[in-house]
Structures are given as C-alpha cells and as structure tokens.
Amino acid sequence: MSLVSTKNFFIVGLFLIFFQPKTNANFNPFQLVIPPNVLEDAELDTFQLISKYGYPAENYTVQTEDGYILGMVRIARPGAIPVLMVHGLLDSSATWVMMGPTKSLGYLLYEQGYDVWMTNVRGNTYSKKHVRYSTLDSETPAKFQLFDYGLWNLLYYGSLRPPSYKLENVRTKVALYYGNNDWLAPPEDVELLYQRLPYVVDKYVVPNKDFNHLDLIWGIDAKTLLWDRMIQVMKSQEPYPVYDDYSDYIFI
C-alpha cells in the first residue's frame, strides 16, 4: 500500500464530506458510495497509477550532491522536451496523476508531447533514504535559505545564520500563476516575488474569486481556467534543446 496515495485520497474524501451541499437533508456521509476504481487507485503508488491507465511509466532514484536519495517517476517520451514536475508541501508525485487521465496535469503534459518527470522531495514516502543519515536524525528548519551547517556556518558563510537566496540572481524564465482565494500563497506574496524575479514571462491570476491553492492541481475546472494558458506559455518559449541523454543526473 502506498501511504501517500492513500492519504491523498483520504484528504479528498474529507473535502467531499465536509463540503457536501446542505440541500439534501437525507445526506449521510457514512453512506457515501465510493466508485471501485477510486478505492483501487488509493492502494497504488505513482508508478502503478500511471501503468494502470496505459501510460509508459518508469521509476528512477537520484542522489543529490548532499547525499539524499530521491525517488522519481517518469511518463516516458524519449527525445521530447522534458518537464520536471515538483510537488508542494506534504505531498508527493502522486498528486500529478491521482485525478486520472482526464483530470491530471501529468497526463495532460504527456499528451501535449512532453517527456514528463515527477520528483519527490526529500523526506516524503518515496524519498526517505540518505547515504549517511536516517529519518530519525533531526532535520534543518524549512527556510528559503542556503543549507544550515550549524556552527560550521561560520566556516562556510562567515556568519552564524545561512544567508537568504538572492532571487534577483535567478536567470531562469518563470511564470507565476495564483488565485485570489489562496491563503497559502496570497496575491501580495506573489507580487513581492514578481518584483524580485528578473525574468517573469507570465503573471496570471485565475479569473475565479473562489480559486484556491488546491484548485491549482485538483480543481475540476483547472484545465480551462489555468492549464491551457500555462501550456500555451510553455510552447511559446520553445524550442528548448532536446535531451537524448541525462548525463548530468546521478541515477542509481
């Protein structure tokens, strides 16, 4: 059983229960009928989900420079432009495919001709290994800054605290998409980010006042409200170099 897949579906289940319209006085959440395919999908990990729906799935592990071993899943289209999909907080690669082929961004990008790679950040259920440490070791605080070496910060940085990243030095083209009802990434924070990033190719607020953080991935209208525009922007930035090998990565 994949814990992340199961937890993800459990979260969706909670939303179905607590946000059920109150117009039906006879509604009983404990009698909610869950389709068999949803129950089956809840038991599958990312690789198994992709394979179940007939897409070419591949599993990889990647070792970072500081020794973390990350799980990656690919919907393989060799020779096509690669897209790296990175999930958010408390999530995993399953988020890009868990809504099924017609409602998931991972499948949509593949159908648009991309070679889709989905990573798992250190510490989630697919990326718990390290060449030296275990999950029982303490972790560094989650801040938008360079690695915290503790007292060794004086040696590496000349200060006790690691310095913040200088976003003004980012040379990669960036597109910013957000909703007015997003309390995790509110519009004022997006505006601050926009002012500091030098190469923003698109800044777009979804034209729906109720659109929130979860809707960016799981919204039933996300494709028409956002993803179609996002893919159009991606294609406007082509051509990228086509990669036929991945020698810059360390595969295990």
Side-chain angles (χ1 to χ4, degrees):
M1 176 184 292
S2 168
L3 294 177
V4 168
S5 292
T6 302
K7 289 180 180 178
N8 282 339
F9 278 102
F10 180 63
I11 292 172
V12 173
L14 287 176
F15 274 84
L16 287 172
I17 291 173
F18 290 115
F19 290 96
Q20 176 72 19
K22 298 180 179 180
T23 55
N24 184 357
N26 296 320
F27 173 73
N28 184 347
F30 298 102
Q31 295 178 349
L32 184 67
V33 178
I34 302 176
N37 68 303
V38 174
L39 293 175
E40 179 181 274
D41 286 0
E43 301 291 334
L44 304 179
D45 61 24
T46 307
F47 176 88
Q48 293 168 332
L49 278 171
I50 297 169
S51 299
K52 172 187 173 180
Y53 290 103
Y55 288 81
E58 296 177 359
N59 265 333
Y60 294 85
T61 51
V62 180
Q63 182 177 316
T64 66
E65 291 182 354
D66 52 352
Y68 288 90
I69 300 174
L70 310 181
M72 295 188 70
V73 186
R74 180 188 186 192
I75 310 179
R77 191 181 289 277
I81 295 172
V83 174
L84 178 63
M85 307 186 75
V86 183
H87 62 80
L89 184 67
L90 303 178
D91 210 340
S92 78
S93 56
T95 200
W96 304 115
V97 295
M98 64 183 293
M99 297 292 285
T102 62
K103 293 290 185 181
S104 297
L105 184 56
Y107 295 120
L108 178 61
L109 289 171
Y110 177 83
E111 296 292 353
Q112 289 293 318
Y114 292 102
D115 186 14
V116 179
W117 295 76
M118 294 166 284
T119 190
N120 290 282
V121 301
R122 57 191 66 182
N124 82 1
T125 193
Y126 300 106
S127 299
K128 289 185 176 180
K129 295 181 179 180
H130 189 277
V131 296
R132 179 179 176 183
Y133 302 111
S134 74
T135 54
L136 299 179
D137 294 306
S138 61
E139 298 182 7
T140 58
K143 299 178 181 178
F144 199 55
Q145 60 188 26
L146 300 182
F147 188 80
D148 191 344
Y149 292 97
L151 293 178
W152 290 97
N153 287 334
L154 284 172
L155 176 63
Y156 285 96
Y157 308 125
S159 65
L160 287 175
R161 296 179 181 274
S164 299
Y165 285 108
K166 295 182 179 180
L167 297 180
E168 293 79 5
N169 293 339
V170 174
R171 293 294 180 260
T172 303
K173 294 179 180 179
V174 177
L176 301 174
Y177 303 110
Y178 59 103
N180 281 320
N181 193 35
D182 190 339
W183 52 272
L184 285 176
E188 54 268 27
D189 287 353
V190 177
E191 184 62 31
L192 290 174
L193 188 62
Y194 173 68
Q195 293 174 6
R196 295 187 61 187
L197 290 170
Y199 293 101
V200 176
V201 297
D202 193 27
K203 176 174 174 282
Y204 178 71
V205 57
V206 176
N208 183 316
K209 65 181 180 61
D210 297 321
F211 205 83
N212 63 44
H213 199 72
L214 299 181
D215 289 326
L216 292 166
I217 301 176
W218 297 340
I220 58 175
D221 296 323
K223 181 181 183 300
T224 55
L225 290 174
L226 175 59
W227 296 348
D228 288 342
R229 178 190 178 98
M230 183 191 73
I231 292 174
Q232 183 180 15
V233 171
M234 291 171 64
K235 291 187 177 298
S236 73
Q237 300 301 314
E238 297 176 11
Y240 298 112
V242 176
Y243 298 93
D244 54 7
D245 70 76
Y246 297 89
S247 56
D248 291 337
Y249 294 89
I250 302 174
F251 293 123
I252 301 175

